[in-house]
Amino acid sequence: MVAPAARRRPPGGSTTPAEGDDVPAGRERSLTLERGLALLQAVADAESDAPSISDLATAIGASRAAVYRMLGPLQARGLVRREGSKVRLGLGVLRLANRVLPQVRFAALPSLRILAEQVGATAHITVADGMDAQAVAVVEPSWTAFHVSYRVGTRHPVRFGAAGRAIDLAPQDAAWVVSCGELQTGAHGVAAPVMGVDGLRASVGVVALAPLDAEVVGPQVLRAAEDIAAALS
């Protein structure tokens, strides 16, 4: 009696059918997509400068021949490039990444509008870009006599200001950050991190020209950050 072919179990716990298994066409397409995405992730996550075909085969639990087949469509779209037996991310990944911020902006605007009106201060979502923080969406309140004018695209070091320092708050840290005059004299800020969105380091905050009651504004900012995280998940 011949034992059935063993299933490969790649990192992450998913089971990949062995060569020769009968798989329904729809499931086969799903598995092909899943393995292609796993391959792309393995290229991105490789600790070495550039993983080899063998490294990638081991990482996703596939044969070298299967890796070669999956690399073809990824190369055609510029998502990876081959240098002999080595594989690197391609410039197509950057083109995809450039479409991320508009999606973040679109998802954040409804919650930012509510926050700005509630607090009577300029609300914003700020995303980390290396060691910088960049405002990618800003909403000003409609009913105040005066408020801070904060431009989309404004950048500052991630270690300064409530918006920057809130980005990397850990769950065990304070729920929000308060700042005063760190980036602009007389400006007061409260910000909370956007948590639970893979690959996104961001914060939601408000900035005003008068002191903010952090005990009141903090929970409002935190709620907006949670709502935006849910919209992006």
Side-chain angles (χ1 to χ4, degrees):
M1 178 175 177
V2 179
R7 267 66 171 169
R8 304 183 187 91
R9 189 174 297 274
S14 62
T15 301
T16 303
E19 297 273 347
D21 278 2
D22 291 328
V23 181
R27 177 59 177 156
E28 184 175 0
R29 287 191 294 270
S30 175
L31 286 170
T32 300
L33 176 60
E34 181 180 333
R35 295 174 81 188
L37 292 173
L39 177 60
L40 185 60
Q41 188 69 56
V43 176
D45 291 346
E47 295 181 2
S48 60
D49 178 48
S52 67
I53 300 294
S54 296
D55 293 333
L56 294 173
T58 300
I60 69 170
S63 67
R64 286 167 49 91
V67 170
Y68 277 112
R69 287 195 300 270
M70 287 185 282
L71 283 175
L74 296 176
Q75 285 181 266
R77 288 161 177 78
L79 299 177
V80 299
R81 58 190 176 90
R82 288 200 27 216
E83 298 174 354
S85 65
K86 299 289 187 178
V87 183
R88 302 179 188 275
L89 291 178
L91 294 179
V93 174
L94 291 179
R95 290 192 289 273
L96 289 178
N98 287 336
R99 299 304 305 160
V100 171
L101 292 185
Q103 297 299 321
V104 171
R105 185 177 301 117
F106 179 80
L109 282 174
S111 295
L112 293 182
R113 289 192 187 98
I114 294 171
L115 181 62
E117 296 299 313
Q118 284 178 333
V119 180
T122 301
H124 54 85
I125 182 169
T126 298
V127 173
D129 181 12
M131 297 304 294
D132 285 345
Q134 178 181 355
V136 298
V138 176
V139 175
E140 298 176 1
S142 64
W143 56 269
T144 54
F146 59 89
H147 52 260
V148 173
S149 179
Y150 194 43
R151 291 181 294 105
V152 171
T154 297
R155 301 175 72 94
H156 58 81
V158 75
R159 66 183 182 277
F160 292 128
R165 291 190 286 114
I167 285 174
D168 290 321
L169 280 182
Q172 66 269 21
D173 294 333
W176 55 79
V177 172
V178 178
S179 66
C180 176
E182 291 184 27
L183 298 173
Q184 179 181 337
T185 302
H188 301 262
V190 178
V194 177
M195 293 186 171
V197 182
D198 287 346
L200 180 69
R201 295 169 57 218
S203 70
V204 172
V206 291
V207 58
L209 294 174
L212 296 164
D213 185 344
E215 295 304 312
V216 174
V217 175
Q220 294 173 320
V221 170
L222 181 61
R223 189 177 306 113
E226 291 171 345
D227 289 345
I228 291 170
L232 289 168
S233 298

